Amino acid sequence: MQVDTELADGHPVIAYLGNRHYVVLVDKGGWGNYLINDPWKLTADQGQGIALERNDLRLRFEDIRQLVFIYPDRNAPTNAIADKYYPIPIGPATPTPTT
């Protein structure tokens, strides 16, 4: 399944659940359960690493209506901000001129 492959490669997957709620699939935990980050939680800590079946709407993987595959290492900004957030080089390194 493409979702499993993308997660194994470290790419998050945005999922639209039941025509009413977006979450981010971030990992496939034990027993084949997907872990999500849920933006509906009050704090970032509360919204991270939740088992998919424990989302507030109690929607399951079968309720996903759309998947969006994200590639931060390929779609990072080309300014210096990318270096702060993505440890993967974005394009060829520029040689330092010698004098």
Side-chain angles (χ1 to χ4, degrees):
M1 177 185 301
Q2 185 176 357
V3 171
D4 295 346
T5 302
E6 297 296 336
L7 291 175
D9 288 343
H11 302 137
V13 178
I14 297 173
Y16 188 46
L17 293 174
N19 294 326
R20 38 186 185 167
H21 185 51
Y22 284 97
V23 297
V24 181
L25 301 173
V26 294
D27 197 6
K28 189 165 185 180
W31 305 287
N33 297 325
Y34 291 94
L35 299 178
I36 64 170
N37 289 351
D38 190 341
W40 274 7
K41 297 298 181 180
L42 294 177
T43 69
D45 287 341
Q46 291 174 342
Q48 294 181 352
I50 301 168
L52 175 61
E53 64 275 4
R54 299 197 65 198
N55 68 76
D56 288 343
L57 298 175
R58 299 291 188 242
L59 297 170
R60 301 175 321 254
F61 190 85
E62 295 77 25
D63 296 314
I64 293 175
R65 299 291 174 247
Q66 179 184 22
L67 295 168
V68 179
F69 298 97
I70 305 297
Y71 304 99
D73 53 330
R74 298 180 206 165
N75 301 328
T78 56
N79 56 23
I81 295 172
D83 298 334
K84 180 177 178 182
Y85 294 103
Y86 304 108
I88 300 168
I90 312 294
T94 305
T96 305
T98 56
T99 55

